[in-house]
Amino acid sequence: MITAMPRIAIAVHDFEAALATFKDRFGMPIADFSSETVPSLGAHVAMCQPKGGSNIELMAPANPTEPLSQALQKFLDRRGEGIYALMLEAPDPNAEAEVLLERGVKVLPLMRGAGGRDIHPSSTHGVLIRIYPDGSVAQPENPVSAYPNYSGIQKAVVAVRDANLAADTYSKGLGLPADPPKVDARRGVVSSIIRPPKGGIIELLSPTDTSKSTGAEIDAFLDSKGEGICALVLDASDDIAERDINIFGVRILISE
């Protein structure tokens, strides 16, 4: 059983620049695990851990002989900086992998050095999903953020061609609670909300009316990049002016 969506990973070229940006510009508390992960996994890893929602994980290749570093470099070479993977948790990732395989989900063999199991993006509408053990990263009880007090990820927005089909994948395939897909005429999309037990939520959107701004944006994303996570939604202080931010290949929206 999937128990949480603890974090979403962003692959970057310049790890130090990403750390500085999320610490200084976004005011987020950050834990840098690179002293452990570079020797063991060949990659820089840090966790932005503001209050609420899911964490933002920053990752960069460091040792080209290690599988994780190779995978990150391949991603960066092919797609550039951006959202690399969505992380879920389960009590036993290997046992969960067997359940998912029986449901027809394409779970990959265990990667050397990995602490979790990967689900191929072809099974999850363009989203690489990694399943880790429960409590895979310790979360501070009272994280202190600086102004403008950005939260963790409240929502991951996934552009899909058919929200009804995608909702079946995430609900029946992954076993996650899901709201029934519904037409949102105001935004020009069909929407389904996926609700992991902990962390942020996932919204699946498929376009129905490209005369509406959201429908047009989702349609354009699908045409240029195919299915996948197209935006992350955070909360922040009410008085900030910047509510649509593009950084390190990621679109970050601030909820109204």
Side-chain angles (χ1 to χ4, degrees), residues 35-232:
S35 61
E36 303 169 17
T37 61
V38 170
S40 63
L41 300 174
H44 293 284
V45 176
M47 202 74 64
C48 305
Q49 297 181 297
K51 186 176 181 180
S54 301
N55 292 331
I56 297 171
E57 185 172 24
L58 304 174
M59 307 180 77
N63 182 348
T65 66
E66 293 295 330
L68 177 57
S69 183
Q70 293 169 357
L72 286 166
Q73 191 62 59
K74 183 178 179 180
F75 176 89
L76 289 166
D77 290 344
R78 185 177 72 252
R79 303 192 62 170
E81 294 182 310
I83 295 169
Y84 176 65
L86 182 152
M87 314 304 188
L88 299 175
E89 287 182 342
D92 182 339
N94 287 316
E96 187 68 23
E98 294 303 316
V99 172
L100 297 179
L101 284 165
E102 290 178 0
R103 295 176 184 163
V105 178
K106 187 177 180 181
V107 183
L108 300 176
L110 184 65
M111 182 173 69
R112 177 168 60 85
R117 295 295 296 271
D118 287 358
I119 300 174
H120 195 281
S122 64
S123 276
T124 48
H125 298 269
V127 181
L128 172 61
I129 292 178
R130 288 188 162 162
I131 304 177
Y132 285 87
D134 286 347
S136 56
V137 174
Q139 184 73 6
E141 289 187 9
N142 295 297
V144 178
S145 296
Y147 180 85
N149 301 312
Y150 289 100
S151 72
I153 298 164
Q154 301 299 306
K155 179 166 62 178
V157 183
V158 182
V160 299
R161 301 193 185 281
D162 185 336
N164 291 279
L165 180 62
D168 275 349
T169 298
Y170 280 77
S171 59
K172 297 177 183 177
L174 299 183
L176 290 169
D179 294 356
K182 62 180 181 180
V183 175
D184 184 338
R186 180 182 64 83
R187 293 191 293 165
V189 294
V190 174
S191 165
S192 178
I193 302 293
I194 310 300
R195 302 184 183 276
K198 293 181 183 178
I201 62 174
I202 302 165
E203 184 174 25
L204 308 171
L205 294 181
S206 57
T208 57
D209 184 352
T210 56
S211 71
K212 308 296 184 182
S213 60
T214 303
E217 289 167 359
I218 297 299
D219 189 62
F221 184 92
L222 290 168
D223 283 346
S224 63
K225 296 186 177 182
E227 295 185 309
I229 299 176
C230 61
L232 303 177

